[in-house]
Amino acid sequence: MPQIFRIGPYLIYFWTNENKPVEPIHVHIAKGKPSENATKVWITNAGYEKAKASIEESLKKLRTDYLDLLLIHQPFGDYYGTYRAMEEFYKAGKIRAIGVSNFGPDRYLDLEHFSEIKPAVNQVETHVFQQQKTAREYMQKYGCQIESWGPFAEGKNGLFTNPVLTEIGKKYEKTAAQTALRFLLQSDVVVIPKSVHKERMKQNIDVFDFTLTAEDMAAIEALDGGESLFFSHYDPKTVEWFMSIL
Protein backbone atom coordinates (compact mmCIF):
# COMPACT_ATOMS: atom_id res chain seq x y z
CA MET A 1 0.00 0.00 0.00
CA PRO A 2 1.22 3.57 -0.60
CA GLN A 3 2.84 5.55 2.18
CA ILE A 4 0.99 8.80 2.83
CA PHE A 5 1.74 11.99 4.74
CA ARG A 6 0.38 15.51 4.65
CA ILE A 7 2.07 18.77 3.67
CA GLY A 8 -0.38 21.62 4.27
CA PRO A 9 -3.62 20.85 2.40
CA TYR A 10 -1.90 18.29 0.18
CA LEU A 11 -1.59 14.57 0.65
CA ILE A 12 1.62 12.97 -0.58
CA TYR A 13 1.37 9.48 -2.00
CA PHE A 14 4.52 7.46 -2.56
CA TRP A 15 4.58 5.31 -5.66
CA THR A 16 6.29 2.02 -4.98
CA ASN A 17 8.49 -0.40 -6.81
CA GLU A 18 6.72 -3.69 -7.63
CA ASN A 19 9.66 -5.71 -6.30
CA LYS A 20 10.11 -3.50 -3.23
CA PRO A 21 6.58 -2.45 -2.30
CA VAL A 22 7.66 -0.34 0.68
CA GLU A 23 10.34 1.62 -1.16
CA PRO A 24 9.09 5.00 -2.44
CA ILE A 25 10.32 5.84 -5.93
CA HIS A 26 7.87 8.50 -7.13
CA VAL A 27 5.55 11.01 -5.55
CA HIS A 28 2.03 11.68 -6.79
CA ILE A 29 0.74 15.18 -6.03
CA ALA A 30 -2.95 15.46 -5.25
CA LYS A 31 -5.25 17.63 -3.21
CA GLY A 32 -7.70 15.47 -1.34
CA LYS A 33 -7.68 12.88 -4.11
CA PRO A 34 -7.19 9.14 -3.71
CA SER A 35 -3.83 7.55 -4.38
CA GLU A 36 -3.08 6.21 -7.83
CA ASN A 37 -1.34 2.95 -8.60
CA ALA A 38 0.36 2.62 -11.94
CA THR A 39 2.92 0.42 -13.61
CA LYS A 40 4.24 -0.67 -16.99
CA VAL A 41 4.51 -3.76 -19.14
CA TRP A 42 8.25 -3.85 -19.68
CA ILE A 43 9.74 -4.45 -23.10
CA THR A 44 10.99 -7.86 -22.00
CA ASN A 45 7.33 -8.87 -21.54
CA ALA A 46 6.18 -7.61 -24.93
CA GLY A 47 3.61 -9.73 -26.78
CA TYR A 48 0.09 -10.88 -26.02
CA GLU A 49 0.72 -13.93 -23.81
CA LYS A 50 3.75 -12.56 -21.97
CA ALA A 51 1.94 -9.27 -21.38
CA LYS A 52 -1.08 -11.03 -19.84
CA ALA A 53 1.20 -12.91 -17.47
CA SER A 54 3.06 -9.70 -16.67
CA ILE A 55 -0.13 -7.83 -15.81
CA GLU A 56 -1.30 -10.60 -13.51
CA GLU A 57 2.10 -10.59 -11.82
CA SER A 58 1.98 -6.82 -11.37
CA LEU A 59 -1.44 -7.04 -9.70
CA LYS A 60 -0.06 -9.69 -7.37
CA LYS A 61 3.10 -7.77 -6.48
CA LEU A 62 1.21 -4.53 -5.91
CA ARG A 63 -1.35 -6.38 -3.77
CA THR A 64 -4.31 -4.98 -5.65
CA ASP A 65 -7.13 -6.23 -7.86
CA TYR A 66 -6.98 -3.28 -10.26
CA LEU A 67 -4.60 -0.71 -11.70
CA ASP A 68 -5.39 2.96 -12.24
CA LEU A 69 -2.96 3.20 -15.13
CA LEU A 70 -0.93 0.73 -17.17
CA LEU A 71 1.58 1.78 -19.82
CA ILE A 72 3.63 0.02 -22.47
CA HIS A 73 7.28 0.54 -21.55
CA GLN A 74 8.86 1.01 -24.98
CA PRO A 75 7.73 1.30 -28.63
CA PHE A 76 9.62 -1.84 -29.64
CA GLY A 77 8.91 -5.55 -29.76
CA ASP A 78 5.38 -6.86 -30.18
CA TYR A 79 3.69 -3.87 -28.57
CA TYR A 80 0.54 -4.53 -30.60
CA GLY A 81 0.12 -7.87 -28.83
CA THR A 82 0.88 -6.15 -25.53
CA TYR A 83 -1.79 -3.56 -26.18
CA ARG A 84 -4.41 -6.20 -27.05
CA ALA A 85 -3.76 -7.83 -23.69
CA MET A 86 -4.09 -4.47 -21.94
CA GLU A 87 -7.39 -3.80 -23.72
CA GLU A 88 -8.75 -7.11 -22.41
CA PHE A 89 -7.87 -6.22 -18.82
CA TYR A 90 -9.39 -2.77 -19.35
CA LYS A 91 -12.66 -4.30 -20.56
CA ALA A 92 -12.64 -6.65 -17.58
CA GLY A 93 -12.46 -3.66 -15.22
CA LYS A 94 -8.99 -4.52 -13.92
CA ILE A 95 -7.35 -1.44 -15.45
CA ARG A 96 -8.93 2.01 -15.41
CA ALA A 97 -6.73 3.60 -18.07
CA ILE A 98 -4.15 2.31 -20.53
CA GLY A 99 -1.46 4.11 -22.44
CA VAL A 100 2.09 4.11 -23.71
CA SER A 101 5.52 5.37 -22.82
CA ASN A 102 8.30 6.73 -25.04
CA PHE A 103 6.11 6.65 -28.15
CA GLY A 104 6.92 9.30 -30.73
CA PRO A 105 3.97 10.79 -32.61
CA ASP A 106 4.55 8.41 -35.54
CA ARG A 107 4.35 5.23 -33.49
CA TYR A 108 1.56 6.62 -31.35
CA LEU A 109 -0.60 7.45 -34.37
CA ASP A 110 -0.07 3.99 -35.84
CA LEU A 111 -1.08 2.25 -32.61
CA GLU A 112 -3.97 4.65 -31.99
CA HIS A 113 -5.38 4.00 -35.45
CA PHE A 114 -5.56 0.23 -34.95
CA SER A 115 -6.59 0.16 -31.27
CA GLU A 116 -10.10 -0.20 -29.90
CA ILE A 117 -9.37 1.56 -26.59
CA LYS A 118 -7.41 4.69 -27.38
CA PRO A 119 -4.23 5.32 -25.35
CA ALA A 120 -5.08 7.79 -22.59
CA VAL A 121 -1.50 8.72 -21.65
CA ASN A 122 1.87 8.95 -23.36
CA GLN A 123 4.70 9.20 -20.86
CA VAL A 124 7.74 10.72 -22.55
CA GLU A 125 10.88 12.64 -21.69
CA THR A 126 9.62 16.20 -21.31
CA HIS A 127 11.40 19.13 -19.68
CA VAL A 128 12.43 22.68 -20.53
CA PHE A 129 15.24 21.45 -22.80
CA GLN A 130 13.05 18.91 -24.62
CA GLN A 131 9.56 20.35 -24.67
CA GLN A 132 8.03 17.81 -27.08
CA LYS A 133 6.24 20.52 -29.05
CA THR A 134 5.30 18.29 -31.98
CA ALA A 135 4.28 15.39 -29.73
CA ARG A 136 2.15 17.70 -27.60
CA GLU A 137 0.39 19.01 -30.69
CA TYR A 138 -0.58 15.53 -31.86
CA MET A 139 -1.38 14.13 -28.42
CA GLN A 140 -3.78 17.03 -27.89
CA LYS A 141 -5.33 16.45 -31.31
CA TYR A 142 -6.04 12.80 -30.48
CA GLY A 143 -7.06 13.31 -26.86
CA CYS A 144 -4.00 11.75 -25.25
CA GLN A 145 -2.39 13.28 -22.16
CA ILE A 146 1.36 13.81 -22.20
CA GLU A 147 3.01 12.87 -18.92
CA SER A 148 6.60 13.88 -18.25
CA TRP A 149 9.25 11.53 -17.07
CA GLY A 150 12.32 13.43 -15.98
CA PRO A 151 10.72 16.88 -15.61
CA PHE A 152 14.03 18.10 -14.13
CA ALA A 153 16.09 16.42 -16.90
CA GLU A 154 17.91 14.73 -14.02
CA GLY A 155 19.77 17.99 -13.54
CA LYS A 156 21.37 17.92 -16.98
CA ASN A 157 22.28 21.18 -18.75
CA GLY A 158 22.53 22.81 -15.32
CA LEU A 159 18.74 22.99 -14.99
CA PHE A 160 18.80 23.79 -11.27
CA THR A 161 21.02 26.83 -11.82
CA ASN A 162 19.84 27.85 -15.30
CA PRO A 163 19.97 31.67 -15.44
CA VAL A 164 16.68 32.03 -17.33
CA LEU A 165 14.79 29.83 -14.87
CA THR A 166 16.56 31.42 -11.90
CA GLU A 167 15.80 35.00 -12.92
CA ILE A 168 12.17 34.27 -13.70
CA GLY A 169 11.83 32.36 -10.43
CA LYS A 170 13.15 35.31 -8.42
CA LYS A 171 10.12 37.39 -9.42
CA TYR A 172 7.86 34.87 -7.69
CA GLU A 173 10.28 33.81 -4.93
CA LYS A 174 10.59 30.36 -6.51
CA THR A 175 13.52 28.15 -7.39
CA ALA A 176 14.63 27.27 -10.90
CA ALA A 177 13.16 23.79 -10.37
CA GLN A 178 9.78 25.18 -9.32
CA THR A 179 9.79 27.49 -12.32
CA ALA A 180 10.52 24.54 -14.61
CA LEU A 181 7.61 22.58 -13.13
CA ARG A 182 5.27 25.53 -13.45
CA PHE A 183 6.22 25.92 -17.10
CA LEU A 184 5.31 22.29 -17.81
CA LEU A 185 2.02 22.55 -15.93
CA GLN A 186 1.04 25.65 -17.90
CA SER A 187 1.97 23.73 -21.05
CA ASP A 188 -0.63 21.08 -20.12
CA VAL A 189 1.99 18.48 -19.26
CA VAL A 190 1.41 16.17 -16.29
CA VAL A 191 4.51 16.05 -14.10
CA ILE A 192 5.68 13.45 -11.62
CA PRO A 193 8.78 14.91 -9.95
CA LYS A 194 10.88 12.24 -8.30
CA SER A 195 12.12 12.80 -4.76
CA VAL A 196 12.42 10.98 -1.46
CA HIS A 197 13.24 14.17 0.46
CA LYS A 198 10.37 15.86 2.28
CA GLU A 199 11.72 19.38 1.77
CA ARG A 200 12.05 18.82 -1.97
CA MET A 201 8.53 17.42 -2.04
CA LYS A 202 7.28 20.59 -0.36
CA GLN A 203 8.97 22.67 -3.04
CA ASN A 204 7.59 20.48 -5.82
CA ILE A 205 4.05 21.00 -4.51
CA ASP A 206 4.46 24.72 -3.99
CA VAL A 207 3.94 25.61 -7.65
CA PHE A 208 0.22 26.39 -7.69
CA ASP A 209 0.28 29.88 -6.18
CA PHE A 210 1.81 31.74 -9.11
CA THR A 211 1.36 31.98 -12.87
CA LEU A 212 4.06 32.59 -15.44
CA THR A 213 3.37 35.46 -17.83
CA ALA A 214 3.35 35.08 -21.60
CA GLU A 215 6.78 36.73 -21.60
CA ASP A 216 8.06 34.22 -19.03
CA MET A 217 6.69 31.31 -21.04
CA ALA A 218 8.30 32.60 -24.25
CA ALA A 219 11.69 32.95 -22.54
CA ILE A 220 11.53 29.36 -21.27
CA GLU A 221 10.25 28.06 -24.61
CA ALA A 222 13.47 29.41 -26.12
CA LEU A 223 15.44 26.89 -24.02
CA ASP A 224 14.01 24.02 -26.04
CA GLY A 225 16.65 22.06 -27.92
CA GLY A 226 14.11 19.67 -29.41
CA GLU A 227 16.27 16.61 -28.72
CA SER A 228 16.62 14.03 -25.98
CA LEU A 229 19.27 14.56 -23.33
CA PHE A 230 19.42 10.82 -22.75
CA PHE A 231 18.95 8.75 -25.92
CA SER A 232 16.91 8.83 -29.10
CA HIS A 233 14.40 6.13 -29.94
CA TYR A 234 15.17 6.88 -33.59
CA ASP A 235 18.89 6.09 -33.20
CA PRO A 236 19.67 2.65 -34.72
CA LYS A 237 22.19 1.97 -31.95
CA THR A 238 19.48 2.54 -29.33
CA VAL A 239 17.10 0.22 -31.18
CA GLU A 240 19.83 -2.43 -31.48
CA TRP A 241 20.33 -2.30 -27.71
CA PHE A 242 16.61 -2.76 -27.03
CA MET A 243 16.50 -5.67 -29.46
CA SER A 244 19.45 -7.27 -27.66
CA ILE A 245 17.44 -7.66 -24.44
CA LEU A 246 14.41 -9.30 -26.08
Side-chain angles (χ1 to χ4, degrees), residues 22-56:
V22 297
E23 177 185 352
I25 58 172
H26 285 99
V27 63
H28 172 62
I29 300 176
K31 187 172 183 180
K33 295 183 179 180
S35 177
E36 176 180 282
N37 62 69
T39 191
K40 297 176 181 175
V41 177
W42 297 95
I43 187 172
T44 49
N45 290 317
Y48 178 73
E49 294 296 341
K50 291 175 71 174
K52 286 203 301 181
S54 171
I55 296 168
E56 291 287 7

Side-chain angles (χ1 to χ4, degrees), residues 3-221:
Q3 298 183 29
I4 305 172
F5 65 84
R6 181 179 294 276
I7 297 178
Y10 295 95
L11 296 178
I12 305 302
Y13 301 93
F14 285 114
W15 287 28
T16 58
N17 188 308
E18 286 183 13
N19 296 313
K20 297 179 180 180
V22 297
E23 177 185 352
I25 58 172
H26 285 99
V27 63
H28 172 62
I29 300 176
K31 187 172 183 180
K33 295 183 179 180
S35 177
E36 176 180 282
N37 62 69
T39 191
K40 297 176 181 175
V41 177
W42 297 95
I43 187 172
T44 49
N45 290 317
Y48 178 73
E49 294 296 341
K50 291 175 71 174
K52 286 203 301 181
S54 171
I55 296 168
E56 291 287 7
E57 184 67 13
S58 291
L59 290 168
K60 180 179 178 181
K61 287 181 176 179
L62 291 171
R63 305 170 195 170
T64 183
D65 56 3
Y66 76 94
L67 296 169
D68 286 297
L69 177 64
L70 181 66
L71 305 177
I72 293 178
H73 179 214
Q74 297 288 351
F76 303 121
D78 181 17
Y79 57 81
Y80 289 97
T82 300
Y83 203 79
R84 288 197 303 273
M86 291 165 60
E87 286 181 320
E88 288 187 6
F89 277 79
Y90 176 90
K91 292 176 184 177
K94 293 186 177 182
I95 304 175
R96 293 180 176 176
I98 56 179
V100 295
S101 180
N102 298 304
F103 275 56
D106 54 340
R107 300 236 173 181
Y108 172 84
L109 290 172
D110 187 38
L111 180 65
E112 190 273 347
H113 183 78
F114 292 103
S115 62
E116 182 179 354
I117 310 301
K118 305 305 180 183
V121 172
N122 187 7
Q123 186 186 85
V124 293
E125 174 192 350
T126 313
H127 44 73
V128 296
F129 304 121
Q130 166 54 305
Q131 297 175 21
Q132 298 288 359
K133 291 176 180 176
T134 300
R136 280 163 40 206
E137 175 186 348
Y138 280 93
M139 296 308 104
Q140 183 179 39
K141 180 178 179 180
Y142 287 88
C144 180
Q145 176 64 57
I146 279 210
E147 180 178 84
S148 164
W149 65 256
F152 297 134
E154 296 186 5
K156 292 180 182 292
N157 282 10
L159 183 145
F160 298 118
T161 56
N162 179 273
V164 173
L165 298 174
T166 300
E167 286 304 310
I168 292 174
K170 283 180 181 178
K171 297 193 300 181
Y172 308 102
E173 299 184 341
K174 301 295 180 181
T175 66
Q178 289 171 311
T179 304
L181 287 181
R182 185 66 204 177
F183 171 80
L184 293 176
L185 290 170
Q186 286 185 218
S187 301
D188 296 322
V189 175
V190 169
V191 297
I192 306 179
K194 177 181 178 181
S195 181
V196 295
H197 302 288
K198 189 172 180 178
E199 287 306 312
R200 297 273 178 82
M201 292 179 188
K202 287 181 178 180
Q203 291 181 2
N204 292 341
I205 287 174
D206 190 22
V207 293
F208 298 103
D209 60 350
F210 73 108
T211 301
L212 298 174
T213 66
E215 182 180 358
D216 295 334
M217 294 291 286
I220 299 173
E221 284 174 1

